[in-house]
Amino acid sequence: MGGIWEVSLGDFLLVTLFLGGGAAYLTGRAVAATWRPYRSLVIYIVLLTAAVRFIHHALFGGTLLSLQFYAVDLVILLVLGSLGFRITRAGQMTTQYGWIFQRSGPLSWRSR
């Protein structure tokens, strides 16, 4: 067993990074696009992580209830979901409130 992946690097990359990470990024964008607070994203990512752990268990024989691998998946999905959230929210703030804010980077905005 590896420290980050359980069964193999291939299933970790496929399930956690590609499928789960893509879903987390899109979830972050959707939460921001509907003007929901960040805590909503955290709740959705916790549930998404449980689904990712189930896919690891069902398809690749990984451990379903492993706190270590759940935490690893949760951190990765939370980072990718937060990235989608901040990119979308920065665009919203500078578009919706363009007279007050301007973009200062891909993840942030500042006052004019």
Side-chain angles (χ1 to χ4, degrees):
M1 287 194 197
I4 295 177
W5 61 83
E6 185 174 17
V7 178
S8 71
L9 177 61
D11 82 333
F12 172 77
L13 292 174
L14 174 68
V15 176
T16 300
L17 289 181
F18 184 70
L19 296 177
Y25 181 82
L26 292 175
T27 301
R29 289 183 50 136
V31 168
T34 55
W35 292 94
R36 291 188 179 136
Y38 183 77
R39 66 181 173 270
S40 296
L41 174 65
V42 174
I43 293 167
Y44 295 144
I45 295 297
V46 167
L47 296 172
L48 180 62
T49 304
V52 167
R53 287 305 317 151
F54 177 75
I55 293 171
H56 278 294
H57 171 70
L59 296 181
F60 300 104
T63 307
L64 180 61
L65 301 174
S66 169
L67 186 60
Q68 174 191 355
F69 296 117
Y70 185 88
V72 168
D73 289 348
L74 179 66
V75 167
I76 291 170
L77 297 182
L78 198 53
V79 165
L80 293 171
S82 298
L83 184 66
F85 181 87
R86 286 297 292 191
I87 288 171
T88 303
R89 184 57 51 94
Q92 283 177 312
M93 294 300 285
T94 55
T95 302
Q96 188 79 19
Y97 305 108
W99 68 93
I100 301 172
F101 300 116
Q102 64 184 8
R103 223 171 205 186
S104 61
L107 302 176
S108 61
W109 60 93
R110 62 185 162 124
S111 297
R112 285 192 177 266

